[in-house]
Amino acid sequence: MLQKGAPIADPKGKLGVLLVGMGAVTTTFVAGVEAIRRGLANPIGSLTQMGTIRLGKRTEGRSPLIKDFVPLANLDDLVFGAWDIFEENCYEAAMSAGVLEKELLVRLKPQLTKVKPMSAVFDQQYVKRLNGTHVKKGKTKMALAEQLMDEIAEFKKKNRLSRMVMVWCASTEVFIKPHPVHKSLDAFEKAMRENHKAIAPSMIYAYAALKSGVGFANGAPNLTVDVPAMTELAEQQNLPICGKDFKTGQTLMKTILAPGLKARLLGLHGWYSTNILGNRDGEVLDDPGSFKTKEESKLSVLEYILQPKVYPDLYSDFSHLVRINYYPPRGDNKEGWDNVDIFGWLGYPMQIKIDFLCRDSILAAPIVLDLALFMDLAQRAGMRGIQEWLSFYFKSPMCAPKLYPEHDLFIQLMKLKNTLRHLRGEELITHLGLEYYD
């Protein structure tokens, strides 16, 4: 267990942020950081940059910015590297993604054109709707991992980095169930050498990162590091891992609304959700195999928050349906429709309608920033294995094998901030407040 007030190494030198995939999320993140560095925009949505943390009693009035409370890397010290299945540089890829205004991208062109993707580890069996042209070749999956490790080492040397983190921002892979080859590191490595089908490309990246001394955060619902072999490797290497699936649009709304329904003991008959989106993510999710992976991530949220076994009269038989429809004209501007059938006093029915016209990559970019900075903090603090305190950022958060994941957004935020307080030797906040009335 991490000791209270444990020493944290200072964030000296440059931090490499390695990004798998250079689509809408990555380009929006990189361009956003470059804009913020130059005073062209504010880091809205980023807890590390704009969030505060209360310390001590309410009467003390201590609420510093999180970035002033814990030693985080400075934005000016971030260096970006990426892999992608297409050769477009970050400027060209951002233009293709169509998330940010062209005027802003043109102003950032000198910086963005310097971020050129390395060839990707890719296999169309795992993402059937994409066909990559900028792809590595290797006789075995272990050989591909070794190529990645060589690139990671070269990137660190070339850019004179002191530390690195890796964040998966690429597409959702087809659904993979846990397999015996995932149960131990030895079995996993043997499977890589034998090109076992249960080893997906995302796992190859994660393995290469951890073997290279780089913590890994998984922004997609892929299994990836959520297997015993990866936890074993992370703990062996004294590195943090976290995931899965950035919590952005519709699921963000569910983790805000569902805790409120449960807090007021309002019952639920059904929750129907449908989405339309037209970016690369939508194209990938149009494949049933990839959708299955995303569906598993989305469906788990309400079950864990509402606890039907604890509240059978309210939530035992609710219907929960999720649909995703690929609609090219919408681009990155996703629309999520929710119809929520609830009931209250004496069983009387009511309805809630939500129409969230969101921008997936705009919501995801600050998550990537926060995860990069918090994962770097975790590495410097000696925090290894699953980082459950970062559940705040994920649809399907990882946790210890015998635990259920915590999905309530407000409990997740409490967990995150209490972890930071613990790291700095401050008292945890319980909100009991009885001492004010003694």
Side-chain angles (χ1 to χ4, degrees):
M1 179 178 175
L2 192 70
Q3 290 184 343
K4 184 177 181 180
I8 305 173
D10 290 333
K12 295 179 181 178
K14 298 288 186 180
L15 172 65
V17 182
L18 300 171
L19 303 151
V20 187
M22 195 138 75
V25 172
T26 290
T27 56
T28 304
F29 160 64
V30 174
V33 172
E34 294 292 356
I36 293 160
R37 282 170 166 171
R38 285 156 184 76
L40 302 176
N42 292 320
I44 295 170
S46 169
L47 193 64
T48 61
Q49 303 305 299
M50 301 189 78
T52 62
I53 183 166
R54 188 191 119 198
L55 305 175
K57 296 180 180 180
R58 280 185 278 168
T59 51
E60 295 179 33
R62 291 194 296 149
S63 293
L65 288 168
I66 287 173
K67 66 179 182 178
D68 294 333
F69 177 60
V70 291
L72 299 176
N74 190 286
L75 296 192
D76 289 334
D77 291 329
L78 303 186
V79 179
F80 306 113
W83 291 270
D84 199 79
I85 62 174
F86 301 111
E87 292 188 59
E88 293 178 316
N89 64 42
C90 192
Y91 173 75
E92 294 165 336
M95 282 290 197
S96 298
V99 178
L100 301 176
E101 293 179 356
K102 291 182 179 179
E103 181 182 352
L104 175 64
L105 294 176
V106 169
R107 295 180 71 176
L108 300 172
K109 185 176 180 179
Q111 292 76 37
L112 299 182
T113 51
K114 293 178 183 178
V115 183
K116 299 176 182 178
M118 296 170 272
S119 60
V121 172
F122 178 76
D123 186 333
Q124 199 173 18
Q125 293 183 60
Y126 299 87
V127 186
K128 295 182 180 179
R129 294 297 166 95
L130 298 182
N131 184 17
T133 56
H134 190 49
V135 177
K136 284 181 169 51
K137 294 182 180 180
K139 290 184 178 180
T140 67
K141 294 180 179 183
M142 181 62 82
L144 292 171
E146 289 167 351
Q147 290 180 43
L148 290 174
M149 287 185 264
D150 288 343
E151 287 176 332
I152 292 168
E154 176 61 26
F155 186 80
K156 184 176 183 180
K157 180 181 178 181
K158 179 182 176 182
N159 293 282
R160 299 178 181 179
L161 307 175
S162 62
R163 314 167 317 281
M164 293 182 286
V165 294
M166 187 182 292
V167 185
W168 176 276
C169 299
S171 299
T172 298
E173 296 171 332
V174 296
F175 183 68
I176 295 176
K177 291 183 178 180
H179 189 279
V181 301
H182 301 143
K183 288 186 176 180
S184 72
L185 184 56
D186 286 344
F188 187 90
E189 291 178 331
K190 182 174 183 290
M192 288 183 70
R193 288 189 288 269
E194 296 175 351
N195 287 332
H196 198 286
K197 64 181 181 180
I199 307 297
S202 64
M203 293 177 169
I204 300 173
Y205 278 99
Y207 176 84
L210 295 172
K211 291 291 282 189
S212 301
V214 179
F216 187 93
N218 179 21
N222 316 326
L223 201 56
T224 315
V225 287
D226 198 8
V227 293
M230 287 299 188
T231 303
E232 180 184 343
L233 180 56
E235 292 180 350
Q236 182 185 101
Q237 295 285 86
N238 204 37
L239 290 168
I241 53 175
C242 64
K244 308 175 302 218
D245 204 3
F246 298 141
K247 182 157 51 186
T248 51
Q250 195 168 64
T251 306
L252 175 62
M253 292 296 105
K254 287 180 179 178
T255 60
I256 292 171
L257 184 57
L261 296 178
K262 187 172 79 169
R264 285 299 305 270
L265 298 174
L266 294 171
L268 180 68
H269 284 310
W271 197 311
Y272 176 79
S273 302
T274 190
N275 304 264
I276 56 172
L277 72 162
N279 58 12
R280 191 189 297 180
D281 194 32
E283 184 178 4
V284 168
L285 293 174
D286 205 34
D287 170 63
S290 291
F291 173 71
K292 175 66 174 174
T293 309
K294 177 69 75 171
E295 184 182 38
E296 290 285 318
S297 176
K298 282 176 165 283
L299 286 175
S300 64
V301 173
L302 293 182
E303 287 282 342
Y304 283 114
I305 291 177
L306 297 176
Q307 298 176 291
K309 292 182 180 179
V310 179
Y311 300 98
D313 292 339
L314 299 175
Y315 310 119
S316 60
D317 296 313
F318 71 85
S319 176
H320 186 197
L321 299 176
V322 176
R323 299 287 182 266
I324 298 176
N325 297 292
Y326 177 49
Y327 180 55
R330 189 53 61 101
D332 195 65
N333 297 332
K334 184 172 78 174
E335 185 165 1
W337 296 316
D338 289 84
N339 176 81
V340 190
D341 288 286
I342 65 173
F343 58 93
W345 185 250
L346 306 181
Y348 275 68
M350 297 174 279
Q351 287 190 345
I352 300 170
K353 308 285 188 183
I354 304 170
D355 187 4
F356 189 17
L357 289 86
C358 66
R359 294 171 178 257
D360 244 16
S361 300
I362 294 296
L363 291 168
I367 292 178
V368 178
L369 175 59
D370 284 359
L371 286 172
L373 298 183
F374 279 144
M375 287 289 281
D376 176 52
L377 174 72
Q379 288 178 173
R380 288 182 283 109
M383 302 169 76
R384 63 182 186 177
I386 297 169
Q387 304 298 300
E388 193 187 341
W389 65 286
L390 296 176
S391 297
F392 179 73
Y393 296 105
F394 298 107
K395 286 188 183 78
S396 184
M398 292 170 61
C399 61
K402 295 182 180 180
L403 294 179
Y404 63 84
E406 183 53 71
H407 282 277
D408 184 315
L409 185 75
F410 306 100
I411 295 176
Q412 290 174 335
L413 183 59
M414 175 73 74
K415 184 190 294 287
L416 189 156
K417 289 190 174 183
N418 269 339
T419 300
L420 298 179
R421 294 181 184 107
H422 181 80
L423 282 173
R424 301 306 272 169
E426 291 279 347
E427 292 302 313
L428 306 188
I429 302 295
T430 65
H431 296 290
L432 183 63
L434 293 178
E435 69 273 17
Y436 302 120
Y437 300 94
D438 289 341

